Amino acid sequence: MKQNRNFIVGITAILIIMMLASGCVNKPSEQTEPTQITVSAASTLTESFEEIVEQFKIENPEIDVQLNLASSGALRMQIEAGAPIDVFASASQQHMNLLDEKEMIVKDSRTDFAQNSMVLIVPITSELEITSVDSLLNDSVKRFVISDPEISPAGTYSKQSLVESGLWNELEGKAVLAETVKQVLVYVERGEVDAGFVFMTDAKIAKKDTIKIISTIPTSTDISYPITVLESSEHKKESQMFVDFVTGQKGRSILESHGFTA
């Protein structure tokens, strides 16, 4: 009897081993890690893209989106330096064109998804008579701020408008350069400068009772925002899904709620 029991136990052990080897015994299910993509977006898109990413993740839990925010020029230079970025959303056609010339973008994925405008703002406590851009010529105006035209589209549009209106040469000495348009807004909110140039969407998110919008600034070109998948992306399918979401109905709705024209 004892030998029979040992024989049965041995046979059972062999069968179990064979079943495990053949996959007949169910193993605990392994959870698949979400695919991670990095989206680099112009700083003026901060609030709208934070909401877009949040909604996209809800609908696509298998994709983890990391948001990288800075001036468009700084983001372009990161991409050129080989940073692992999958999607680029720029506040300037110029920076996108530079990447396109270097064949660093997926051309078929590039599309314009939003428009904006430039405005002149002043601290709400200002007692200076600033009613237009021409008012910046007044001796009472000591400093105004724009974002750096070399790296920030907002600065490029601001300087371009002043040059085209013939005011830049007279005003350049009063200009303070900020790294991003968000910094421009902060300087004006704090009353550290007499005036500043920001996107309309940035003016709309200013802290309550900190600024006044004086006027819209004319620009010779439309302020449009392009978005694209990058050639270096290892997750082009998931990246295109994000681009499609931004340009789709829900993405447009979010952008419009933040003051953009989608």
Coordinates of all heavy atoms in Angstrom, one line a residue, residues 51-52 245-246 248-260 262:
E51 N -5.5 70.0 -18.6 CA -6.8 69.5 -18.7 C -7.0 68.4 -19.8 O -7.7 67.4 -19.6 CB -7.9 70.6 -18.8 CG -9.3 70.1 -18.7 CD -10.3 71.3 -18.8 OE1 -9.9 72.4 -18.6 OE2 -11.5 71.0 -19.0
I52 N -6.4 68.7 -20.9 CA -6.5 67.7 -22.0 C -5.8 66.4 -21.7 O -6.4 65.3 -21.9 CB -5.8 68.3 -23.3 CG1 -6.8 69.4 -23.9 CG2 -5.5 67.3 -24.3 CD1 -6.2 70.1 -25.1
F245 N -6.7 63.4 -30.4 CA -7.6 63.9 -29.3 C -7.6 65.4 -29.1 O -8.6 66.0 -29.0 CB -7.1 63.2 -27.9 CG -8.0 63.5 -26.8 CD1 -9.1 62.7 -26.5 CD2 -7.8 64.6 -25.9 CE1 -10.0 63.0 -25.5 CE2 -8.7 64.9 -24.9 CZ -9.8 64.1 -24.6
V246 N -6.4 66.0 -29.3 CA -6.2 67.5 -29.2 C -7.1 68.1 -30.3 O -7.7 69.1 -30.0 CB -4.8 67.9 -29.3 CG1 -4.6 69.4 -29.4 CG2 -4.0 67.4 -28.1
G248 N -9.5 66.8 -31.9 CA -10.9 66.3 -32.0 C -11.9 67.2 -31.2 O -11.5 68.2 -30.6
Q249 N -13.1 66.8 -31.1 CA -14.2 67.6 -30.5 C -13.9 67.9 -29.0 O -14.0 69.1 -28.6 CB -15.5 66.8 -30.6 CG -16.7 67.6 -30.0 CD -18.0 66.9 -30.2 OE1 -18.1 65.8 -30.9 NE2 -19.1 67.4 -29.6
K250 N -13.4 66.9 -28.3 CA -13.2 67.2 -26.8 C -12.0 68.1 -26.6 O -12.0 69.0 -25.8 CB -13.0 65.9 -26.1 CG -14.3 65.1 -26.0 CD -14.1 63.8 -25.2 CE -15.5 63.0 -25.1 NZ -15.3 61.8 -24.3
G251 N -11.0 67.9 -27.4 CA -9.8 68.8 -27.3 C -10.1 70.2 -27.7 O -9.7 71.1 -27.0
R252 N -10.9 70.4 -28.8 CA -11.3 71.7 -29.2 C -12.1 72.4 -28.1 O -12.0 73.6 -27.9 CB -12.1 71.6 -30.5 CG -11.2 71.2 -31.7 CD -11.9 71.6 -33.0 NE -13.3 71.1 -33.1 CZ -13.6 69.9 -33.6 NH1 -12.6 69.1 -34.1 NH2 -14.8 69.5 -33.7
S253 N -13.0 71.6 -27.5 CA -13.9 72.2 -26.5 C -13.1 72.7 -25.3 O -13.3 73.8 -24.8 CB -14.9 71.2 -26.0 OG -15.7 71.7 -25.0
I254 N -12.1 71.9 -24.9 CA -11.2 72.3 -23.8 C -10.4 73.6 -24.2 O -10.3 74.5 -23.4 CB -10.3 71.2 -23.4 CG1 -11.1 70.0 -22.8 CG2 -9.2 71.7 -22.4 CD1 -10.3 68.8 -22.5
L255 N -9.8 73.6 -25.3 CA -9.1 74.8 -25.8 C -9.9 76.0 -25.8 O -9.5 77.1 -25.4 CB -8.5 74.5 -27.2 CG -7.4 73.5 -27.3 CD1 -7.1 73.0 -28.7 CD2 -6.1 74.1 -26.7
E256 N -11.1 75.9 -26.3 CA -12.0 77.1 -26.4 C -12.4 77.6 -25.0 O -12.5 78.8 -24.7 CB -13.2 76.8 -27.2 CG -13.0 76.6 -28.7 CD -14.1 76.1 -29.5 OE1 -15.1 75.7 -28.9 OE2 -14.1 76.1 -30.7
S257 N -12.5 76.6 -24.0 CA -12.8 77.0 -22.6 C -11.7 77.8 -22.0 O -11.9 78.5 -21.0 CB -13.2 75.8 -21.8 OG -12.0 75.0 -21.5
H258 N -10.5 77.7 -22.6 CA -9.4 78.4 -22.0 C -9.0 79.7 -22.9 O -8.0 80.3 -22.7 CB -8.1 77.5 -22.0 CG -8.2 76.5 -20.8 ND1 -7.8 76.8 -19.6 CD2 -8.7 75.2 -20.8 CE1 -8.0 75.7 -18.8 NE2 -8.6 74.8 -19.5
G259 N -9.9 80.0 -23.8 CA -9.8 81.3 -24.5 C -9.1 81.2 -25.9 O -9.0 82.2 -26.6
F260 N -8.8 80.0 -26.3 CA -8.2 79.8 -27.6 C -9.3 79.7 -28.7 O -10.5 79.4 -28.4 CB -7.4 78.5 -27.7 CG -6.1 78.5 -26.9 CD1 -6.1 78.0 -25.7 CD2 -5.0 79.1 -27.5 CE1 -4.9 78.0 -24.9 CE2 -3.8 79.1 -26.8 CZ -3.8 78.6 -25.5
A262 N -10.2 77.4 -31.5 CA -9.8 76.1 -32.0 C -10.1 75.9 -33.4 O -11.2 76.4 -33.9 CB -10.5 75.0 -31.1

